[in-house]
Amino acid sequence: MSEPVIESMAEVRNHLADVIDRARREETPTIITRRGKQEAVVLDIQEYQRLRRLAEDAEEAWLNRLADEAESEGTDGSVSLEEMAALLRDQQD
């Protein structure tokens, strides 16, 4: 993946198709700014899906580690992996 291009919302609005093509063909993301603050990024969908899988795999590995630690400490007061995942998702919302 190439270094990202940084453009304002107004610039992106004027040539959105080019921004999308650059993300897809050149694998170059575009960071979109608004009032000088980074707000969003345009990525190729395959790169987004790859990053999403990595994040999900990392979260699953972390939850499994927590479950293993909890299991080694005993079962009193413990929750299932599914319950733990639900609790963590609720905290993120």
Side-chain angles (χ1 to χ4, degrees):
M1 181 179 347
S2 302
E3 286 295 312
V5 172
I6 299 174
E7 294 186 352
S8 70
M9 181 81 77
E11 292 169 323
V12 170
R13 195 178 297 125
N14 289 331
H15 67 104
L16 180 58
D18 294 334
V19 170
I20 293 169
D21 287 343
R22 180 173 54 217
R24 193 185 56 188
R25 291 187 186 135
E26 300 172 24
E27 297 181 355
T28 301
T30 299
I31 297 172
I32 302 171
T33 63
R34 185 179 349 192
R35 295 181 187 98
K37 181 181 173 194
Q38 295 182 353
E39 293 282 335
V41 63
V42 176
L43 290 173
D44 174 64
I45 190 67
Q46 291 177 339
E47 179 65 7
Y48 169 78
Q49 290 168 340
R50 184 186 75 79
L51 292 171
R52 181 76 187 220
R53 278 191 306 274
L54 283 173
E56 288 170 356
D57 291 347
E59 180 180 22
E60 185 175 338
W62 178 70
L63 289 172
N64 286 331
R65 264 194 318 276
L66 285 177
D68 289 344
E69 289 173 13
E71 187 176 316
S72 70
E73 292 174 4
T75 57
D76 291 339
S78 65
V79 296
S80 71
L81 181 58
E82 292 80 15
E83 292 170 318
M84 188 182 312
L87 288 170
L88 289 170
R89 277 192 293 276
D90 288 345
Q91 289 177 355
Q92 291 176 348
D93 293 336

